[in-house]
Amino acid sequence: MNNASSNYQPSLHRYALITAGCTFVLLLAGALVTSTGSSLAVPDWPLSFGKFFPEMRGGVLFEHGHRMVAGTVALLTVGLAIYTQMVEKRAWVKKLAWSALGAVLLQAVLGGVTVLLHLPTEVSVAHAGLAQIFFCFIISLSLVTSKTWIEDGDHRIQSTGTIRKAALTVTVLIYFQILVGAVTRHSGFGLAIPDWPLSNGQLLPADWPLAVLLQFSHTRIGAFLVLGLVNWIAFKVCTQYTHEKSLFWPAANAALLVWLQCFLGILVISTEKSIIPTSVHVITGAALLASMLVLTLNSFRLFQKESVS
Amino acid sequence: MELKKLLALLAIASLGLTAGCGQKSEDEELMAMANSASKATAVLGTASVAGTVTLTGKAPGTAMFSVDADPVCKAQHTGLVKDETVIADAKGDLKNVIVYVKEGAGNYPAPATSVELVQKGCMYSPHVFGIQVGQPLEIENSDPTLHNVHCLAVTNDSFNVGQPNQGMKTEKKFTKAEMPVKFKCDVHGWMHCFVGVFTNPFYSVTGDNGSFKISGLPAGSYTLVAWQEKYGESAPQKVDIKDGEAKSVNFTFAATN
């Protein structure tokens, strides 16, 4: 955090951005594996049908394709950790990079374990949840290695501190909303309530088995909570800090994404979990989380001095 | 400083890792199978039950699907392929229904002969079949493309094996009765089939004309049911039968869309 002792490394920042882009593609590839029902198309791990590169047919295209993209991201992350260690002066940024590497390696193991154990919900959800955490690591690295973060480090603005606390709370809330969505998806409860906004034609479900409870929590309670809070914080930021680009743009982006995400959620139900809306719903959730994370991190950076004094 | 705490918070965000680890060993399963065999009542009888399974109401049209996702599959078919979920003739005779004794039959030793399940033309053949507990199931890939054999058993252990090459064979045995068990190929999303696993040989799968026959029944009182993959299990039918007797039992399913 000591900006004075840090120097902007454009190549490191670009490398982190490329890794972030590839991670986003990886999230889409992973979402497609589940959406197309291809999770067990390759029954073995770490090899695929005993080979490094099997015939890319049917579900193998999605599952092995996911493994290939994952391998690329893992290699990029190894490079990112080493490169950060070499050129970065801030110790906490180095730790962040190595943490990202640890996360992606653990993620690979979880991916393998879920295949070998035939997709137990707990492991599949852990795989989905860690994917988002890894993405957050890479997004954070991309942000903290940026020119704005490093060279604009002494810039501070007056605030009551509400924004940063709210941004952090909403970011954590979105993460848990994603986790509930992952549990719903990997438990096969995605259509436990087949309609929206009504529940089997009624305002509330008549019965509340676990499947309905989870789906209702994700598609109604969590969705409305996230929609309301993201719009509230975006309105607050965009009206009070219009000229503070590092707050304005992530907030505006989050406001757009949260509406898109809700629309996609409705599409997922109305199309009975059609492949494209379902997969795009997953990555839009990741993009929303990333936007709120950037807003949170920037708000902590900008409001830090005032909070200390 | 606060930013570090924030990042640390993200890093330790909760992950529920409570994967169950209560799988039985193979030895325990084999022991259970041996115990089951020792309790078996090996004597077959001379009675039989035969009949027809029919569909009432408007039968669903024959659904067709494409297998173009894999050029090898495509090359083995001309155009679209018929969905096997509901196959009924003009009279409503239903194919691929398992009729079995649900109550009244004991345990019988498994035959040594294998039941064959073949993947050909990127389809399972047979689409519906029965097998006894402990009887070998030989699964073969006859296609020049890769398949994975994903068994979605619930009572038995599920398995997922790859068969990347033509001619590959895998042998499996079920250790417990289970009805039905679904098989699917995750490489080719349209491929699936069902097997009924029984502790006795008193089951039959209907053919093209919807007929079935269960032979070798000892005299006794039995409850028979029919199971179809779309319509589920029929209402049970009780049958009292004497040695050498041949009884007729028919089942009907109401067509639903």
Side-chain angles (χ1 to χ4, degrees):
Chain A
M1 283 295 286
N2 186 354
N3 299 307
S5 63
S6 304
N7 291 318
Y8 171 53
Q9 301 285 343
S11 53
L12 178 63
H13 176 56
R14 277 197 291 272
Y15 190 108
L17 282 177
I18 290 167
T19 309
C22 290
T23 305
F24 194 66
V25 173
L26 174 60
L27 288 169
L28 176 62
L32 281 168
V33 169
T34 304
S35 300
T36 57
S38 308
S39 307
L40 293 175
V42 180
D44 49 346
W45 184 87
L47 291 176
S48 299
F49 288 93
K51 300 173 185 173
F52 181 71
F53 205 87
E55 297 165 55
M56 298 292 268
R57 298 183 188 282
V60 180
L61 177 68
F62 295 104
E63 171 60 18
H64 190 72
H66 176 48
R67 294 183 187 189
M68 292 289 100
V69 180
T72 305
V73 169
L75 286 175
L76 279 170
T77 311
V78 170
L80 183 60
I82 293 170
Y83 196 19
T84 306
Q85 182 70 32
M86 286 167 60
V87 302
E88 179 60 55
K89 291 180 180 173
R90 294 165 293 178
W92 65 273
V93 177
K94 291 180 187 177
K95 285 178 188 166
L96 190 60
W98 287 109
S99 300
L101 179 59
V104 80
L105 294 178
L106 178 59
Q107 179 71 343
V109 172
L110 282 176
V113 167
T114 201
V115 165
L116 296 177
L117 296 182
H118 305 162
L119 312 179
T121 304
E122 301 88 339
V123 184
S124 296
V125 170
H127 187 61
L130 186 56
Q132 302 288 340
I133 290 175
F134 172 69
F135 187 48
C136 287
F137 276 137
I138 299 297
I139 290 291
S140 303
L141 278 165
S142 303
L143 181 66
V144 302
T145 55
S146 68
K147 190 174 183 181
T148 307
W149 184 279
I150 293 168
E151 295 188 352
D152 197 29
D154 293 330
H155 172 55
R156 294 288 183 269
I157 55 174
Q158 291 295 312
S159 167
T160 59
T162 309
I163 294 296
R164 60 180 178 159
K165 285 175 190 164
L168 174 60
T169 305
V170 175
T171 305
V172 173
L173 178 70
I174 290 170
Y175 180 70
F176 280 101
Q177 166 72 347
I178 289 172
L179 275 188
V180 174
V183 174
T184 307
R185 176 168 160 87
H186 291 285
S187 302
F189 298 157
L191 295 176
I193 304 171
D195 48 352
W196 193 97
L198 295 176
S199 305
N200 283 311
Q202 297 176 313
L203 194 60
L204 291 172
D207 298 310
W208 292 90
L210 181 64
V212 170
L213 185 65
L214 273 171
Q215 208 253 28
F216 191 89
S217 303
H218 180 67
T219 59
R220 273 76 166 178
I221 300 169
F224 281 115
L225 211 54
V226 169
L227 180 69
L229 287 172
V230 168
N231 276 290
W232 170 74
I233 200 167
F235 178 77
K236 209 168 168 59
V237 168
C238 292
T239 52
Q240 292 181 13
Y241 306 101
T242 312
H243 301 296
E244 197 60 56
K245 288 180 182 174
S246 62
L247 297 181
F248 180 89
W249 286 114
N253 197 41
L256 286 174
L257 285 171
V258 78
W259 284 104
L260 173 63
Q261 181 68 340
C262 288
F263 173 69
L264 286 165
I266 296 166
L267 267 188
V268 168
I269 293 172
S270 62
T271 62
E272 297 183 350
K273 297 196 291 182
S274 185
I275 293 169
I276 292 178
T278 309
S279 304
V280 177
H281 185 62
V282 172
I283 57 166
T284 306
L288 176 60
L289 178 66
S291 293
M292 284 306 301
L293 177 67
V294 170
L295 176 65
T296 305
L297 294 175
N298 278 335
S299 63
F300 268 73
R301 175 175 64 86
L302 290 168
F303 299 143
Q304 188 181 40
K305 189 176 279 182
E306 190 225 35
S307 73
V308 171
S309 58
Chain B
M1 195 63 186
E2 290 189 2
L3 184 63
K4 285 184 197 174
K5 282 182 187 169
L6 168 64
L7 293 169
L9 259 177
L10 275 171
I12 59 168
S14 62
L15 288 172
L17 271 172
T18 53
C21 50
Q23 279 199 321
K24 271 188 173 181
S25 72
E26 202 165 309
D27 287 346
E28 284 176 302
E29 285 178 3
L30 288 171
M31 187 70 82
M33 283 172 68
N35 288 337
S36 173
S38 68
K39 290 177 196 165
T41 52
V43 184
L44 287 173
T46 54
S48 65
V49 175
T52 306
V53 182
T54 51
L55 188 66
T56 60
K58 190 183 176 188
T62 306
M64 308 291 283
F65 60 87
S66 167
V67 297
D68 292 2
D70 187 335
V72 174
C73 305
K74 185 184 176 185
Q76 296 182 75
H77 297 276
T78 309
L80 297 173
V81 177
K82 280 184 184 175
D83 180 24
E84 295 178 286
T85 303
V86 179
I87 301 178
D89 63 17
K91 292 188 291 178
D93 299 328
L94 261 179
K95 188 183 177 183
N96 285 337
V97 179
I98 300 187
V99 181
Y100 66 99
V101 173
K102 191 170 186 181
E103 290 169 14
N107 294 335
Y108 285 72
T113 51
S114 302
V115 172
E116 290 185 358
L117 175 63
V118 180
Q119 299 149 98
K120 187 161 178 58
C122 301
M123 303 284 283
Y124 282 110
S125 178
H127 183 67
V128 176
F129 62 102
I131 195 169
Q132 273 188 248
V133 171
Q135 186 175 8
L137 171 64
E138 188 177 273
I139 308 160
E140 180 177 352
N141 180 7
S142 297
D143 288 325
T145 188
L146 50 79
H147 290 297
N148 77 301
V149 185
H150 185 189
C151 169
L152 301 166
V154 178
T155 308
N156 287 278
D157 288 338
S158 62
F159 59 85
N160 183 26
V161 291
Q163 292 190 328
N165 303 319
Q166 190 173 24
M168 281 187 77
K169 291 180 180 178
T170 303
E171 189 178 287
K172 292 283 179 184
K173 286 179 182 174
F174 293 100
T175 56
K176 302 175 195 83
E178 184 172 350
M179 176 66 209
V181 177
K182 184 176 182 178
F183 279 79
K184 63 184 273 206
C185 173
D186 302 287
V187 180
H188 308 100
W190 62 84
M191 283 179 69
H192 69 274
C193 69
F194 294 92
V195 58
V197 186
F198 306 101
T199 57
N200 57 66
F202 306 129
Y203 54 86
S204 175
V205 179
T206 57
D208 289 338
N209 60 358
S211 67
F212 69 90
K213 185 174 183 182
I214 297 172
S215 304
L217 283 164
S221 182
Y222 301 102
T223 302
L224 274 74
V225 291
W227 177 89
Q228 203 279 341
E229 70 175 275
K230 181 178 170 70
Y231 304 116
E233 191 172 286
S234 71
Q237 296 205 41
K238 295 235 177 208
V239 178
D240 294 318
I241 200 161
K242 295 172 187 165
D243 282 330
E245 196 174 7
K247 281 213 165 176
S248 175
V249 174
N250 296 314
F251 290 92
T252 55
F253 287 96
T256 54
N257 289 314

